[in-house]
Amino acid sequence: MKKLLYWTLAIYVLYGIGMAWYLLGVADISIPPQWKGTSADPATFLTPKELELSGEYSRWKDLLFFLSIPYEWLIYFGLLAFGVAQALRTWVKRAAKWVPIQSALYAFWLSLITTALLLPIQFAVYHLSRTYGVSTQSLASWFRDRMTDFFIHTVLLVLTATVLYWLIRRFERRWWLYAWMLCVPFMIFFMFIQPVIIDPLYNEFYPLKDKKLETKILALASKANIPAEHVFEVNMSEKTNALNAYVTGIGSHARIVLWDTTLQRLNEDEVLFVMAHEMGHYVMKHIYWGLAGYIVLAFFGLWLVGKLIGWSLARWGRCIGIRRLSDIASFPLLLLLVSLLNFAASPLVNTVSRYEEHAADRYAIELTGNKEAAISSFQKLTKAGLSEVNPPLVVKIFRYTHPTMLERIVFLKEYAPPLQEE
């Protein structure tokens, strides 16, 4: 296993060199000739310096993303290959007699170890965004957010390990099915509480301060038959210069949220287009369709994890000292498989998300009818976040949950409103 790990490390280094060569050197991010000099060409709305910084920042950010995913896999694999996972199992058995407590302790220490090992690459991402002026967050604030991440991640991991390994011991063959059955209400519950409990741990939310603008937004919501009473503003200017707005939560806890940076950088017509886009998600029930999609993916994902982990332990269990799945030391292997499948599913998930975002763009332009404001809002989003207008294909496939800025602006330029019936 150690030899296999060393070979894996060598492959990771070669992979990193290859991705750096591709993203920093040969990847084509140029604008197609037919769109040069138009409003879709970043050279028309970014200064030469901003254009240069945008390319540099996006390429380094993409490289860190593609390095971080397999780096996480290496952590789990290394814990198994060097016996750390097994030693931790021995320690928790000595520390506690009750099996659920052993599972909880194991998950806590596993979370602490993985968080510490992932921290350097997370800091590199933070330092990059600070260097290029996208992030305005202080180091102390960034560290507080990482501590909050650790707390939430650890609580979820402890609950997962405790319940999951109880199910594995109780239902050796069908544990994955019962785990999925428990996942469904948990995902619904988590989406319900996220806007009111989780999100406020990171940022301050409050009703939109500009009441005149809120009146116009609510009038737009009424036009779309949305029973909205408030629009929420979140204080993001102390952390970033980027712009954003989003819809989150379900049921009575659903919220339409605007970053204060969006309000500071966009004019009124541009804000109304952005809000119409978010209203499109609400009207087309994308939150509910997304939840249904994740429930289906969770079913097939857990089934596949059950098959793969059984095969892995039969093939290599003796080498790593883990004979049965009920052994809590198999938890890093289970998390490794989940991470691998999440990455494998990301192109499909991103494709569906891009389709929904395009549908929301179409809805927004049909609701507002202001093409100029729509195009300028996307240009300002690009400028504030130093985003790539036309990213490499592999980046789009694995990273982009929205259509590229080139695709969005081109759609608006070519958009023709539907004919109105007499």
Side-chain angles (χ1 to χ4, degrees), residues 186-331:
F186 178 79
M187 283 191 286
I188 296 172
F189 174 71
F190 192 82
M191 288 190 70
F192 190 78
I193 67 168
Q194 180 181 338
V196 293
I197 295 179
I198 305 298
D199 291 347
L201 294 175
Y202 294 90
N203 301 103
E204 181 185 358
F205 291 78
Y206 39 83
L208 187 61
K209 295 176 180 177
D210 188 339
K211 296 305 176 185
K212 181 181 176 182
L213 178 60
E214 184 179 45
T215 300
K216 292 186 177 182
I217 293 172
L218 293 177
L220 199 65
S222 178
K223 185 178 176 181
N225 296 315
I226 298 175
E229 296 182 0
H230 297 289
V231 178
F232 287 88
E233 182 179 344
V234 57
N235 179 17
M236 289 297 296
S237 55
E238 63 182 20
K239 294 184 178 181
T240 183
N241 284 317
L243 315 181
N244 197 15
Y246 59 91
V247 178
T248 186
I250 59 175
S252 60
H253 285 190
R255 287 184 174 184
I256 299 176
V257 179
L258 270 168
W259 287 11
D260 62 342
T261 51
T262 304
L263 295 167
Q264 294 163 8
R265 302 280 186 94
L266 301 187
N267 63 40
E268 188 175 277
D269 287 340
E270 292 163 345
V271 170
L272 289 175
F273 172 80
V274 170
M275 295 311 299
H277 171 97
E278 302 306 330
M279 291 173 191
H281 287 302
Y282 182 93
V283 169
M284 291 179 278
K285 296 180 170 51
H286 287 163
I287 293 176
Y288 298 97
W289 283 111
L291 178 59
Y294 282 119
I295 288 172
V296 172
L297 281 176
F299 176 85
F300 289 104
L302 283 168
W303 171 78
L304 195 52
V305 165
K307 295 292 183 182
L308 289 174
I309 199 168
W311 175 81
S312 300
L313 290 177
R315 177 69 176 82
W316 292 296
R318 193 162 65 102
C319 297
I320 58 176
I322 303 172
R323 301 300 183 95
R324 303 183 63 182
L325 179 57
S326 57
D327 185 344
I328 188 63
S330 67
F331 196 35

Side-chain angles (χ1 to χ4, degrees), residues 56-128:
E56 290 178 1
Y57 173 66
S58 297
R59 290 180 179 190
W60 281 108
K61 183 176 63 173
D62 292 337
L63 178 60
L64 286 173
F65 168 82
F66 283 106
L67 292 178
S68 66
I69 301 299
Y71 176 68
E72 181 184 358
W73 303 340
L74 277 174
I75 290 173
Y76 292 131
F77 189 35
L79 293 177
L80 292 165
F82 285 111
V84 178
Q86 301 84 328
L88 187 57
R89 168 242 286 148
T90 302
W91 181 83
V92 299
K93 282 188 174 182
R94 291 175 181 171
K97 299 297 183 183
W98 197 33
V99 176
I101 297 297
Q102 293 174 2
S103 300
L105 283 172
Y106 193 97
F108 171 79
W109 283 104
L110 183 61
S111 178
L112 186 62
I113 292 168
T114 54
T115 298
L117 292 175
L118 286 168
L119 199 61
I121 205 160
Q122 292 174 345
F123 178 77
V125 174
Y126 162 74
H127 179 70
L128 179 70

